[in-house]
Amino acid sequence: VPDRTEKVYLGLGANAGDPVEQLRKAVAELRARRIILEPIALSSLYRTPPWGGIGDQPWFVNAALSGATALSPQELLAALKQIEGDLGRKPAPRRWGPRPIDLDILLFGQRIVRTPNLTIPHPHITERAFALLPLVEIEPLLADPATGRRYADCLAALGDEIARIEKMKDEL
Ligand code: A4P
Ligand code: MG
């Protein structure tokens, strides 16, 4: 085990191909490539309606995980993009189109990162029930490092959005 690791939280999503299988493969690759190290916590899988005015497209399967990493934020982003590509994701023809896998860095320790290609905490996290619900499941007391606001409170404020999300019987 490397002597310097940080705890990170990733959001996983897919709405093309076999989403559950894609998410399982992504987790297997994160482990096999030692991008995410034990202790790893996995959320349930959730079926979620498309968010963000992305038009008529399939529902997503979303999940979250936490684990340790020895990588820097930029190295982690590059490693996630590598896995996305290896799992068949093409550079998107349009923004927010259907994707076989989407791996987002939700949180990286307590760090706040604002660079042109990387924003942590993830920019839309507090508005997205599909990201918050699995995140709060694995870490109920987690708070936003920038504002101190609890993610559980952000989620409660989204109200009716939560009701549309379905917890799945399948697991990661
Ligand atoms: N980037 C910046 N910050 C981050 C970060 N914290 N983690 C940059 C990961 N990437 C980050 O992302 C575009 C660029 O964002 C990356 O190249 C990276 O440099 P992308 O995943 O390649 O493209 P995208 O996903 O099409 O765009 P974007 O804006 O990241 O979309 P999101 O936020 O990923 O949202 N509805 C439901 N129900 N479930 C979903 O999972 N996902 C989206 C896409 C929309 N609606 C959804 C879902
Ligand atoms: Mg993304």
Side-chain angles (χ1 to χ4, degrees):
V1 180
D3 49 299
R4 290 197 96 82
T5 64
E6 286 192 69
K7 187 170 184 177
V8 294
Y9 296 81
L10 304 184
L12 292 66
N15 74 335
D18 181 340
V20 172
E21 207 42 49
Q22 290 289 105
L23 265 50
R24 286 181 180 147
K25 280 186 189 161
V27 172
E29 290 304 320
L30 290 167
R31 289 185 196 272
R33 300 180 193 192
R34 304 195 54 73
I35 295 162
I36 301 294
L37 307 171
E38 300 291 343
I40 297 175
L42 304 174
S43 77
S44 303
L45 292 164
Y46 295 90
R47 289 194 69 241
T48 67
W51 180 96
I54 52 181
D56 193 18
Q57 56 171 286
W59 279 43
F60 284 74
V61 176
N62 285 110
L65 68 77
S66 70
T69 192
L71 304 180
S72 70
Q74 288 290 349
E75 288 169 339
L76 178 58
L77 178 65
L80 297 182
K81 284 177 171 291
Q82 186 76 50
I83 293 178
E84 287 180 342
D86 292 347
L87 292 186
R89 180 157 169 190
K90 310 268 186 310
R94 70 189 166 96
R95 197 164 182 251
W96 289 1
R99 72 278 310 281
I101 189 69
D102 185 23
L103 302 173
D104 287 337
I105 305 171
L106 300 178
L107 293 171
F108 195 110
Q110 291 286 112
R111 293 199 205 194
I112 294 165
V113 178
R114 297 190 200 290
T115 62
N117 73 336
L118 185 59
T119 303
I120 301 172
H122 193 277
H124 301 290
I125 186 171
T126 58
E127 311 148 45
R128 293 175 160 186
F130 72 78
L132 291 173
L133 194 57
L135 187 60
V136 166
E137 182 194 351
I138 57 176
E139 195 88 33
L141 300 181
L142 196 64
D144 189 281
T147 64
R149 197 162 168 232
R150 285 222 179 131
Y151 290 122
D153 295 334
C154 301
L155 182 61
L158 297 177
D160 49 327
E161 241 200 272
I162 306 162
R164 299 189 61 206
I165 292 179
E166 299 168 5
K167 193 169 182 166
M168 299 174 76
K169 290 207 183 75
D170 304 280
E171 291 178 358
L172 272 176

